[in-house]
Amino acid sequence: MDEVELLRSWGDVEAAPDEASVHAARAALATEVNHAARKPRAAMASLEAWARRRTEGGLGKVAMIGAIATAAIMTQPHVPLGLPGHRALGWLSLLLIMRLVGGTGWASFIGLASAAGTMAIHRSPNGTFWGVAQYVLAGIGIDAFFSAMPRAARNPFLAAGICGVLLVLVGWITPVSNSFVAGVPLNGIWVSLASVGAGGWEKLISYDLVFGIGAGGIGFAVAWVLSQSWRDLGRRVGLRAGL
Amino acid sequence: MPILSDEELIAAARSDPGQFTGLFDRHYATIHGYLRRRLGPELADELAAETFIRAFQDRRRYDPERGAVRLWLFGIATNLLRRHHRSEHRRLAAYARSPIEDRQEDQTAAVDSRVAAQALGGGLAKALAAMRDQDRDVLVLIAWADLTYAETATALGIPIGTVRSRLARARREVRRFLPEVDAWQPQSAEPQPDDPPAARTKGVVLHG
């Protein structure tokens, strides 16, 4: 007999777990299993309850506006202005409207849904997530800014200003990713960026800034209309304007 | 209804959590037996239950490529047991101190090997208590869970060479605490890869 055999023969070799032990362990596992089976439903219910609180009961209506906004961003018609950033007049203003009428989180949610939807219908400018990442990042930026500075939701200049800044920050992602996806190496992209003269940068930034501010202005105005001129209608449909 | 394999059950449990109870029915007694021999019945009840709960919670992380479900469960049980190494030490120390006549199984043992094992129980307990925790994990997985070297390596997530070296250290520790080991003679046959684990352990024979 070797050490392992010796050890194998030592102790209570034959004892099986008693019924009470099996029963208790099975009950503990069953609790865990039942909890896991309920979890997705519970998580969805909590999310829905949170969304209802945020929209003060108008979840259905805000969700409807959100769906329209998402569809509009996904399928934004081409406006042949040929100027950099002009599409933001549509998508960025819709994100701002969603934040102002729905509250915190809606701009990010719609940005994400729009990005996913645009990818799903193969309308991303370069076929990758980077082509639509600006919706997500701008949505997150809007939510973060208005969370940090709630009074901006009552100030059209601040709301427009942050949209201008956000568009300058995210507007370069799609064109740069276009080059990257097309196979241009990183150093090539860098050389190309570095070769843009000061005048060129001024022009690019100015366009993004102007169209971003324009989008902010449009978004604020639409939300203002919903909350002021159409206050009663807004209340009836459950809108909660942050104005 | 076809009987699902362990791997199929765990895959099914990802979308239908209730399927996991099938694994409990199959393996609870084995895991409990392993833990009971190391920690005693009370802690074994607690840890065996926790092993299955932990396995259930981690069911999505189970990778069939890395070994059978049974080995995965032994690995979880051994990891959980590390929190209780002090309890295991105390239990072994108490066993080593207790006189032989206090141990009922010594008087009732009918099989020679068991008689020998019970007679040497005090030394075994001392040896198990003295060896490094990781060496003891390897030794008892092979002896009490009846795993092969390769299975032990899979359960513990270590290379098979490490299993061999830890087992060699554990054997040396056993021999250090058992003077009777001098009477043991090495078995002549070299272990073969396909032999069951008991036959593959380094051979020493206890005569008499």
Side-chain angles (χ1 to χ4, degrees):
Chain A
M1 181 183 294
D2 74 353
E3 298 91 337
V4 172
E5 269 302 305
L6 189 67
L7 193 59
R8 194 170 279 149
S9 306
W10 179 54
D12 49 349
V13 182
E14 304 298 335
D18 58 41
E19 275 302 309
S21 157
V22 177
H23 183 75
R26 192 193 299 277
L29 180 63
T31 304
E32 194 68 22
V33 167
N34 290 336
H35 179 66
R38 280 198 307 269
K39 219 174 198 172
R41 221 174 300 151
M44 283 303 294
S46 320
L47 185 64
E48 190 184 331
W50 175 83
R52 280 191 193 286
R53 280 198 303 277
R54 296 297 311 169
T55 55
E56 295 182 1
L59 176 61
K61 304 298 186 296
V62 173
M64 188 182 72
I65 295 174
I68 294 168
T70 304
I73 294 172
M74 284 164 56
T75 59
Q76 49 189 299
H78 182 61
V79 183
L81 291 180
L83 299 173
H86 72 277
R87 286 169 187 251
L89 292 173
W91 64 264
L92 190 54
S93 62
L94 285 166
L95 292 180
L96 179 64
I97 291 167
M98 286 312 302
R99 166 59 183 84
L100 295 179
V101 301
T104 302
W106 276 94
S108 303
F109 177 70
I110 297 302
L112 193 62
S114 304
T118 308
M119 291 281 290
I121 61 172
H122 306 292
R123 288 197 61 167
S124 167
N126 53 38
T128 71
F129 174 75
W130 295 109
V132 291
Q134 57 183 351
Y135 304 152
V136 182
L137 295 173
I140 292 170
I142 287 173
D143 277 330
F145 175 76
F146 284 100
S147 293
M149 196 183 283
R151 71 189 170 89
R154 293 185 297 277
N155 185 324
F157 299 106
L158 282 175
I162 187 58
C163 286
V165 171
L166 280 173
L167 190 59
V168 170
L169 291 175
V170 304
W172 57 271
I173 296 175
T174 302
V176 168
S177 67
N178 283 343
S179 304
F180 190 69
V181 171
V184 180
L186 276 176
N187 60 343
I189 293 172
W190 174 250
V191 167
S192 156
L193 287 173
S195 67
V196 177
W201 280 114
E202 263 177 34
K203 193 176 165 188
L204 285 170
I205 291 173
S206 299
Y207 275 122
D208 277 349
L209 201 56
V210 167
F211 283 120
I213 289 171
I218 292 169
F220 192 91
V222 172
W224 186 86
V225 167
L226 285 172
S227 68
Q228 300 295 321
S229 303
W230 295 353
R231 183 181 290 273
D232 291 340
L233 175 64
R235 281 198 184 126
R236 278 202 297 278
V237 301
L239 296 182
R240 186 183 76 95
L243 300 170
Chain B
M1 190 176 165
I3 296 172
L4 298 180
S5 69
D6 287 350
E7 288 70 24
E8 288 168 334
L9 271 179
I10 214 163
R14 286 173 186 155
S15 54
D16 177 8
Q19 295 283 347
F20 197 85
T21 53
L23 288 177
F24 176 90
D25 294 336
R26 283 182 197 174
H27 298 293
Y28 181 76
T30 310
I31 297 296
H32 185 276
Y34 163 68
L35 291 168
R36 187 191 63 245
R37 292 183 81 167
R38 293 193 69 170
L39 293 171
E42 288 79 19
L43 268 177
D45 287 351
E46 182 191 315
L47 276 195
E50 196 179 342
T51 298
F52 282 88
I53 288 172
R54 187 66 63 88
F56 175 73
Q57 290 167 342
D58 288 348
R59 65 195 184 280
R60 288 188 174 83
R61 279 193 262 171
Y62 168 71
D63 178 7
E65 302 273 316
R66 293 176 59 187
V69 171
R70 183 175 66 101
L71 305 179
W72 180 59
L73 292 172
F74 273 121
I76 294 172
T78 305
N79 279 336
L80 291 175
L81 202 143
R82 287 186 182 131
R83 291 199 322 246
H84 297 276
H85 272 153
R86 281 189 178 183
S87 305
E88 190 177 26
H89 274 269
R90 281 197 296 274
R91 176 177 154 81
L92 290 166
Y95 194 94
R97 281 195 304 271
S98 65
I100 287 175
E101 53 270 25
D102 285 353
R103 300 175 209 141
Q104 197 176 13
E105 61 264 30
D106 292 341
Q107 295 152 15
T108 56
V111 183
D112 283 352
S113 61
R114 292 213 62 199
V115 172
Q118 303 313 328
L120 300 172
L124 271 176
K126 280 180 193 165
L128 285 172
M131 68 182 62
R132 297 197 316 179
D133 295 333
Q134 55 195 26
D135 297 342
R136 186 170 54 252
D137 285 343
V138 168
L139 178 64
V140 299
L141 276 172
I142 289 170
W144 289 343
D146 218 20
L147 302 191
T148 64
Y149 291 5
E151 287 173 338
T152 303
T154 303
L156 295 178
I158 56 177
I160 195 165
T162 308
V163 170
R164 290 182 197 283
S165 58
R166 288 183 186 177
L167 183 63
R169 267 200 305 272
R171 287 175 187 282
R172 279 199 297 275
E173 205 64 38
V174 171
R175 286 198 293 272
R176 188 161 73 87
F177 280 88
L178 289 174
E180 295 84 347
V181 82
D182 290 340
W184 297 356
Q185 298 299 318
Q187 287 177 343
S188 57
E190 277 296 308
Q192 297 302 310
D194 294 331
D195 288 347
R200 259 182 290 149
T201 53
K202 188 180 173 185
V204 281
V205 177
L206 178 64
H207 293 281

